Amino acid sequence: MFTAGLVFGAFGGIAGALAGLLDLREPELLAARIKSPGLWVSLAIQALLAAMVVAAYQMSGFKLNPVLCINVGAATPAILRGFISQVPPVPPGRIG
């Protein structure tokens, strides 16, 4: 189930971006976006991050079914923003 959870989480991570492609009503815009290497790199990074967050949940002892894995994957950007916003600022000056 661990590997399946990672796959479902990765899918959840890219589902929002793929749904966003459906908003491009003009065929020329859609074709240009699909051919863009940036889209595919972005999707790969999103899928990897989502799978890592699902793995972290599973390794922490949470029992996630496939629907929850998709949900956690889709929520990964918000989860990471929450973690990043909690990092205390480092005052300027010399480090070390």
Side-chain angles (χ1 to χ4, degrees):
M1 181 62 186
F2 186 80
T3 304
L6 298 181
V7 171
F8 282 113
F11 172 74
I14 63 171
L18 293 176
L21 287 176
L22 298 176
D23 291 337
L24 298 175
R25 302 286 184 217
E26 297 179 33
E28 300 84 25
L29 291 176
L30 181 60
R33 186 68 177 136
I34 288 176
K35 292 177 185 174
S36 168
L39 170 70
W40 300 107
V41 170
S42 172
L43 289 176
I45 291 169
Q46 289 178 45
L48 180 64
L49 289 173
M52 289 173 59
V53 170
V54 168
Y57 270 99
Q58 289 180 334
M59 287 189 278
S60 296
F62 286 92
K63 301 294 182 197
L64 301 177
N65 62 36
V67 173
L68 286 175
C69 289
I70 292 171
N71 195 9
V72 168
T76 293
I79 293 169
L80 294 178
R81 275 190 218 105
F83 285 147
I84 292 169
S85 70
Q86 299 300 317
V87 175
V90 176
R94 204 178 150 122
I95 298 176

